[in-house]
Amino acid sequence: MRDYKKLNVWEKAYAFGIQLYTITKSFPKEELYGLTSQIRRAAISIPSNIAEGSRRSTEKDFRSFLYIAYGSGAELEVQILFAKDLGYIDTQTCTSLLTELSEIMKMLNALIQ
């Protein structure tokens, strides 16, 4: 078992989730159970799966949870693009979020390898 709080990818993913929660507060109320909820769930899923996997007893189990976190990142990428195309976030914010997410995904991929 490892301490997930000492993993840089967990710290980065956790901060990213907080950032997305803040950004989605300004989304239209009719999106509360739609895109807002989807983004928040995917954003929470990344650090949550890193944490859960880190408490598993085998490297194989840990890696499985990292793959789930990676999949949530892919979902999140599409959801951020939807938010931009629907006009909920501007292009600059979208680009910044996708750059941050890309860094997290690279870190996850390196940990998986």
Side-chain angles (χ1 to χ4, degrees), residues 1-4 52-59:
M1 284 196 309
R2 50 178 59 85
D3 183 357
Y4 65 88
E52 186 172 353
S54 74
R55 300 301 174 143
R56 297 298 172 135
S57 59
T58 68
E59 285 298 311

Side-chain angles (χ1 to χ4, degrees), residues 7-40:
L7 295 172
N8 290 335
V9 67
W10 180 85
E11 289 178 5
K12 196 168 195 64
Y14 185 86
F16 190 63
I18 298 293
Q19 181 182 7
L20 285 169
Y21 249 80
T22 302
I23 288 170
T24 57
K25 283 182 183 180
S26 67
F27 283 17
K29 294 297 176 210
E30 64 265 16
E31 286 293 352
L32 186 59
Y33 300 105
L35 190 57
T36 300
S37 177
Q38 290 289 339
I39 288 173
R40 289 176 174 184

Side-chain angles (χ1 to χ4, degrees), residues 1-112:
M1 284 196 309
R2 50 178 59 85
D3 183 357
Y4 65 88
K5 291 180 184 175
K6 291 182 179 177
L7 295 172
N8 290 335
V9 67
W10 180 85
E11 289 178 5
K12 196 168 195 64
Y14 185 86
F16 190 63
I18 298 293
Q19 181 182 7
L20 285 169
Y21 249 80
T22 302
I23 288 170
T24 57
K25 283 182 183 180
S26 67
F27 283 17
K29 294 297 176 210
E30 64 265 16
E31 286 293 352
L32 186 59
Y33 300 105
L35 190 57
T36 300
S37 177
Q38 290 289 339
I39 288 173
R40 289 176 174 184
R41 281 186 284 182
I44 289 172
S45 177
I46 298 171
S48 295
N49 278 292
I50 294 168
E52 186 172 353
S54 74
R55 300 301 174 143
R56 297 298 172 135
S57 59
T58 68
E59 285 298 311
K60 182 180 177 185
D61 286 342
F62 181 45
R63 190 174 294 114
S64 293
F65 280 91
L66 293 177
Y67 277 118
I68 294 168
Y70 195 84
S72 294
E75 288 181 50
L76 197 49
E77 182 178 2
V78 173
Q79 294 158 358
I80 290 168
L81 291 170
F82 262 91
K84 179 188 69 80
D85 290 341
L86 291 170
Y88 302 154
I89 59 174
D90 60 36
T91 301
Q92 183 178 356
T93 301
C94 177
T95 301
S96 175
L97 291 172
L98 291 177
T99 299
E100 184 76 17
L101 179 58
S102 178
E103 290 177 29
I104 292 167
M105 299 290 277
K106 286 175 186 174
M107 292 171 80
L108 279 170
N109 194 40
L111 198 53
I112 289 167

